[in-house]
Amino acid sequence: GQEVTISGERFGQVVEVQLRERTSHMGGTMHSEMHTDTNSRSSTSSDVWATIPITFLERSRNSITFTVPQVSAGQYTVTLRKFNDELSIANSMGAGNLELPLVISSTTGFIGSREGGNPLTLTTPDSSVGFNVTHPEQNAVRINTLPCEVVDVSSHQLTCLPGPMSGRVLAEYWQLTSGTSGFPAIETFSSPDIARLEDSVDINWGGGGPGGPVDSDFFASRFTFYLQLPATQEYTFELDCDDRCAVFVNGILILGADYPNTKTVTSIFPEGQHQFVVTHVEHAGAAKIQLRWAIGASSIQDMPWHRVTPVRSGEPMAISVYVNGAEARQGCPSLQSVQVKLPASPDNAWEAETVDLPGPTCSYIYSAYRTPELTVPLPDIISSASPFEVTGLFLAESMSAMDYEFRVDGVLGSIDSTVHGNSTYPTLMLTPPPLPAGKWPVTISVAGFGYAAPVQQDTQSRLDVRYSLTVGNPVKPAGSFWGGFEVEVPGWGFVPSDSDGSDEYEHDSDEYEHDSDEYEQVMSLEVTTSNPGFEATVVSATDSLLTVRFSRIVDHDTVIAQDSSSRTVGWRVKVDNTGSWDAGQFQLEFDPTYTPFFTSSPSSLVSPDTSGTSIELSWNVKARTEFEALPAGAPSNASIELQSGPNFYPCTAATVRSSMVDSSNGYSENTTCLLPAYLPASNYTIWLTATGTSYTLGSGFAGDKLAVPITITNISHTTSSAAGGLTITLGGLGFSTNASDVVVTFSNSALSYQGFVMSASATSISVRTPRVPEALEGPTVLDVFVTPSHGATPQPTGFAVTFDTGITPRVLSVSPNRGSTAGGTTITVSIDPDGPQLDGS
């Protein structure tokens, strides 16, 4: 409803104002790396714009006034459109940008588990601009530096799931002036060039650096984290870096080091939560930083990075909201003495039991008081969908299973309706969902609190379980040497097929935000027998059953005799999860006994117009126990196809003329089948796939056994512009009806150019002639050749085309010869009226 005035130049011909917003910049889950330059928040790798047309209120030569329509909050670009569709541009200072900020007026669910997962809901006044409902991914929320995944959004309300705060270190990086020496007071620096979350203070950049706007030399780093020390006792810290570094605990310098010397310090620290700040400077060459520790008399070891947090537990943290790249304004009320500790909460000495929330800043509290925790570890390996028990301090006031949710990698598992044990330490019976083999994140969510934490003494940074892979024996024992059959392989832990048939598991591990915790799931088949000559692909899969297809093998130089020995080929099923393979094996016999052999096949020429034509062939399989003799006229035990290149054509209505079974020769059959109504010209391979009483044995083939010739009778043009572009029609019989299968070339002994086939039918093809540069020097005659179908050989047509510059249209001018840099200008191309003319197509 607000009126906005635009000032500029040449507005007299403007007919429309447009508000444009990017629809492909910032997603609902914040990037792990955050540049502090506010302009960078809305930067994009590719700009996709949504346009909102507006009729303006007033217009003069140098100004336009319009009213802002009802839109979502965000950053918009004002664009003007002239009567001829030319568009305006902004000046170099960014004039033309319009920001419509959101106002957050209240929050609910603002206290939750340190592991995240307790829904946080943000509300805006009904009278203000709202969230982006059309493109929900353009709404983004941070809690301090931590992401909050957007899960639901309406015009004036948004709900997100806070990510975990544990297992994260706040890392800040600054680019220093080249040639900087000494060790600056990095602990006092502000406005970092990069602020992001790291897994630890154990980084070896080698000759590189943090990346982004920070180079590999002359940079400063600061790492901040909080850690709960388990007891008052001696702690030893070891610091190693290249070039210089220091450690501050609760603001006090305790240790410094410089390359190549590793330094240690031992001191008594009291139990409780402590702030650690590690500073580091890199001058030139290699760079690294590593902090380790020891408790009491134990040896130096890695810090418990899975227990650290980037901010202090129990303290309010500011919520930042971005809509379409614009940061929202804060308008939350002040709240006094908010009760954080509940009756069931465990005691701790480092968090306040009540907290004040000063307005107008909107805040969120991660609290140990509100963190459910397991008291018994999860099982290490799951080998089936068998239930297992978990016990914990879950904080829920009731014993209802409705208060809990169990997921593995975002996939919902089930919880037994009966909750055992007592209200303080209840026991849940969980049934895992079927998933591929590998290590998967687990969440156990408690209503009103969020995700449960691992057992305190556990070394896990998150809850996770490993699914094992089991591969059984194929249902089918053997198949044809020439492939062409499928087998089913039972097991557990396979990667299910997507709807598009690919074996890539669609996962949802958003509670794992670190780049190192991305779960990529791939399943593959590989042969374990040397030089097998057989190829297999997974055509479909569930978590417990693979359907594997063994492709037909076309090798006309290899002869398989009926008395050849069978081959046992081994196959390995591999499932990759985060670079670690799980594998299982199965074996299959490729056996001449199960291979169909032709004993006779057609060899005569067949016209492309094959409607009503049948062919006759005879075949044999030695696996007699798989067949029964069939009477004449019965449907055949075989399906028959004709192959040219990658294209297959069915020979339908395969019918038995005669058949027999004997102990020496197995099953023999004389078969007829009906050819398609039309076959493109080519030499066809005949494939036969035999199906026994219990399963398909596989395929046999007869190579180049059916010849279909092409006939070409006429051509529409025999001359063409030297620049090409003329549509020529060739008539005849035997063309493929798929234009992409047909190839037309224009060639002589020295030249060869390919035309563009525009359309094809059984009796004609239309081809656009190519550009022939040599014809600009004089008429050039090229013979026409046609490859009638995919897999066929080029055939001469008996026709030629003369390419002649004398019939080539000439361009005289283009008007106008300038246009707006924003596009939209219409141009006119003029052709020489005294020369050849365009035909309008």
Side-chain angles (χ1 to χ4, degrees):
Q2 181 178 348
E3 289 188 3
V4 176
T5 298
I6 318 162
S7 300
E9 299 175 350
R10 293 184 290 277
F11 286 1
Q13 296 177 332
V14 171
V15 296
E16 184 181 71
V17 178
Q18 298 175 352
L19 284 186
R20 293 187 167 198
E21 63 171 333
R22 289 185 175 94
T23 62
S24 65
H25 47 84
M26 183 176 289
T29 300
M30 295 302 299
H31 306 300
S32 60
E33 181 171 308
M34 303 164 295
H35 303 294
T36 57
D37 179 4
T38 56
N39 291 326
S40 70
R41 294 195 188 103
S42 59
S43 64
T44 69
S45 57
S46 62
D47 291 340
V48 179
W49 297 91
T51 301
I52 304 165
I54 303 168
T55 301
F56 49 79
L57 300 176
E58 298 177 6
R59 182 191 69 189
S60 69
R61 182 171 179 80
N62 296 318
S63 70
I64 289 176
T65 299
F66 68 94
T67 302
V68 176
Q70 183 66 44
V71 293
S72 60
Q75 293 178 337
Y76 293 84
T77 296
V78 178
T79 301
L80 307 180
R81 181 176 65 84
K82 290 169 58 178
F83 71 97
N84 63 354
D85 289 333
E86 290 186 339
L87 303 175
S88 66
I89 59 171
N91 66 22
S92 60
M93 300 303 293
N97 294 329
L98 178 65
E99 182 169 328
L100 302 176
L102 191 78
V103 177
I104 305 299
S105 57
S106 65
T107 63
T108 56
F110 53 82
I111 310 175
S113 168
R114 286 161 48 108
E115 299 299 311
N118 189 41
L120 167 65
T121 299
L122 311 172
T123 303
T124 71
D126 292 341
S127 59
S128 73
V129 291
F131 296 105
N132 191 331
V133 179
T134 305
H135 299 282
E137 71 280 2
Q138 301 308 319
N139 307 288
V141 183
R142 289 192 193 112
I143 300 171
N144 194 296
T145 56
L146 300 170
C148 192
E149 180 199 358
V150 177
V151 293
D152 186 61
V153 62
S154 62
S155 294
H156 297 287
Q157 197 168 78
L158 176 146
T159 299
C160 64
L161 289 182
M165 73 178 304
S166 57
R168 314 284 185 92
V169 173
L170 173 59
E172 299 167 289
Y173 300 96
W174 293 263
Q175 180 66 55
L176 303 177
T177 303
S178 179
T180 297
S181 61
F183 193 6
I186 303 168
E187 67 275 12
T188 66
F189 280 17
S190 60
S191 302
D193 294 308
I194 299 175
R196 67 187 179 206
L197 300 173
E198 303 280 14
D199 296 335
S200 66
V201 187
D202 187 355
I203 305 174
N204 188 340
W205 291 283
V214 178
D215 296 334
S216 57
D217 292 328
F218 300 107
F219 68 86
S221 313
R222 183 171 69 205
F223 304 91
T224 303
F225 63 90
Y226 293 82
L227 177 63
Q228 170 68 21
L229 299 183
T232 300
Q233 59 181 330
E234 280 192 346
Y235 294 87
T236 299
F237 294 94
E238 177 188 271
L239 188 61
D240 181 28
C241 64
D242 187 350
D243 290 305
R244 300 184 69 177
C245 52
V247 179
F248 298 80
V249 179
N250 302 324
I252 300 173
L253 176 66
I254 66 164
L255 180 61
D258 54 12
Y259 183 78
N261 303 306
T262 300
K263 296 294 182 66
T264 61
V265 64
T266 300
S267 184
I268 296 176
F269 291 88
E271 175 188 0
Q273 187 173 210
H274 297 266
Q275 183 202 53
F276 290 77
V277 175
V278 180
T279 60
H280 163 258
V281 65
E282 164 61 17
H283 295 137
K288 67 177 180 178
I289 179 71
Q290 183 186 55
L291 177 66
R292 306 175 75 206
W293 81 338
I295 302 176
S298 64
S299 58
I300 294 289
Q301 57 190 288
D302 290 337
M303 297 277 293
W305 297 117
H306 61 289
R307 293 293 178 197
V308 307
T309 62
V311 293
R312 189 181 298 276
S313 176
E315 291 189 354
M317 293 185 291
I319 300 170
S320 301
V321 180
Y322 299 87
V323 181
N324 300 327
E327 185 170 4
R329 296 175 182 174
Q330 306 274 322
C332 289
S334 297
L335 299 175
Q336 303 296 321
S337 299
V338 176
Q339 186 68 40
V340 180
K341 187 177 187 297
L342 300 177
S345 300
D347 292 329
N348 73 66
W350 66 90
E351 283 191 28
E353 297 184 7
T354 62
V355 176
D356 294 335
L357 299 180
T361 301
C362 303
S363 302
Y364 186 87
I365 302 171
Y366 285 96
S367 174
Y369 288 129
R370 302 290 184 98
T371 303
E373 184 176 302
L374 298 189
T375 55
V376 177
L378 294 177
D380 293 331
I381 296 177
I382 295 177
S383 58
S384 66
S386 300
F388 60 89
E389 291 184 344
V390 294
T391 301
L393 179 62
F394 292 128
L395 304 177
E397 295 181 358
S398 74
M399 293 287 285
S400 171
M402 299 294 291
D403 287 334
Y404 302 91
E405 185 179 80
F406 164 54
R407 291 179 180 269
V408 182
D409 193 43
V411 181
L412 188 64
S414 61
I415 301 176
D416 190 274
S417 59
T418 302
V419 179
H420 306 282
N422 57 65
S423 59
T424 304
Y425 294 99
T427 297
L428 308 178
M429 183 67 72
L430 309 179
T431 301
L435 286 177
K439 185 179 181 181
W440 297 115
V442 172
T443 57
I444 299 173
S445 182
V446 183
F449 297 94
Y451 299 136
V455 178
Q456 274 291 340
Q457 290 75 28
D458 202 339
T459 59
Q460 287 181 296
S461 60
R462 299 282 184 274
L463 296 177
D464 53 43
V465 293
R466 175 165 289 281
Y467 279 48
S468 64
L469 176 67
T470 303
V471 179
N473 293 319
V475 177
K476 177 178 180 176
S480 168
F481 250 105
W482 302 121
F485 61 90
E486 296 179 357
V487 298
E488 291 185 338
V489 181
W492 164 264
F494 298 132
V495 179
S497 301
D498 288 341
S499 57
D500 63 0
S502 64
D503 294 311
E504 294 182 1
Y505 171 60
E506 293 291 337
H507 53 83
D508 180 12
S509 52
D510 289 332
E511 59 270 20
Y512 276 60
E513 293 294 338
H514 294 74
D515 290 342
S516 61
D517 289 326
E518 292 180 354
Y519 283 75
E520 296 295 338
Q521 194 68 23
V522 179
M523 181 169 66
S524 62
L525 273 176
E526 60 181 31
V527 66
T528 59
T529 304
S530 61
N531 302 319
F534 305 103
E535 296 182 358
T537 55
V538 176
V539 294
S540 66
T542 67
D543 60 286
S544 58
L545 186 68
L546 295 183
T547 301
V548 180
R549 178 162 185 81
F550 293 87
S551 304
R552 290 169 171 167
I553 304 168
V554 182
D555 185 354
H556 292 193
D557 297 327
T558 301
V559 178
I560 301 295
Q562 290 186 337
D563 57 355
S564 299
S565 300
S566 64
R567 292 195 64 184
T568 300
V569 180
W571 300 86
R572 180 185 294 115
V573 182
K574 295 177 67 177
V575 175
D576 179 27
N577 182 259
T578 60
S580 175
W581 288 102
D582 284 281
Q585 297 190 30
F586 68 89
Q587 292 184 331
L588 192 71
E589 294 285 335
F590 290 82
D591 193 340
T593 303
Y594 289 80
T595 303
F597 289 87
F598 284 93
T599 54
S600 68
S601 58
S603 58
S604 59
L605 293 175
V606 175
S607 169
D609 184 8
T610 54
S611 179
T613 303
S614 62
I615 59 173
E616 181 180 341
L617 46 86
S618 299
W619 57 279
N620 169 264
V621 176
K622 281 208 167 184
R624 61 184 179 83
T625 58
E626 293 298 324
F627 296 90
E628 296 178 355
L630 299 175
S636 172
N637 278 316
S639 59
I640 301 168
E641 292 178 294
L642 309 175
Q643 180 187 8
S644 174
N647 297 324
F648 288 83
Y649 303 86
C651 192
T652 59
T655 305
V656 175
R657 295 195 65 189
S658 63
S659 69
M660 63 178 296
V661 177
D662 65 48
S663 57
S664 300
N665 297 317
Y667 178 78
S668 300
E669 182 180 306
N670 181 261
T671 310
T672 62
C673 64
L674 190 64
L675 292 174
Y678 176 75
L679 278 175
S682 188
N683 289 323
Y684 288 87
T685 292
I686 302 175
W687 281 99
L688 179 147
T689 301
T691 300
T693 55
S694 57
Y695 55 82
T696 299
L697 279 71
S699 299
F701 74 93
D704 296 338
K705 289 299 184 180
L706 189 68
V708 179
I710 187 172
T711 303
I712 299 177
T713 57
N714 59 78
I715 189 171
S716 63
H717 298 79
T718 56
T719 57
S720 170
S721 161
L726 175 68
T727 299
I728 292 178
T729 300
L730 289 164
L733 184 64
F735 304 113
S736 171
T737 56
N738 184 349
S740 63
D741 286 346
V742 182
V743 178
V744 178
T745 55
F746 300 82
S747 61
N748 57 26
S749 58
L751 305 174
S752 181
Y753 294 96
Q754 184 173 314
F756 175 72
V757 178
M758 302 168 61
S759 63
S761 68
T763 57
S764 69
I765 56 173
S766 295
V767 59
R768 183 177 295 153
T769 56
R771 181 175 182 270
V772 180
E774 291 80 2
L776 297 175
E777 305 298 327
T780 302
V781 179
L782 299 179
D783 295 321
V784 182
F785 291 82
V786 174
T787 303
S789 63
H790 206 313
T793 56
Q795 301 294 318
T797 64
F799 297 104
V801 172
T802 300
F803 291 82
D804 190 350
T805 188
I807 61 172
T808 303
R810 293 188 300 119
V811 175
L812 293 183
S813 65
V814 175
S815 178
N817 60 5
R818 44 69 59 203
S820 168
T821 56
T825 304
T826 299
I827 64 172
T828 299
V829 180
S830 299
I831 304 298
D832 185 356
D834 297 327
Q837 298 298 294
L838 300 178
D839 63 6
S841 62

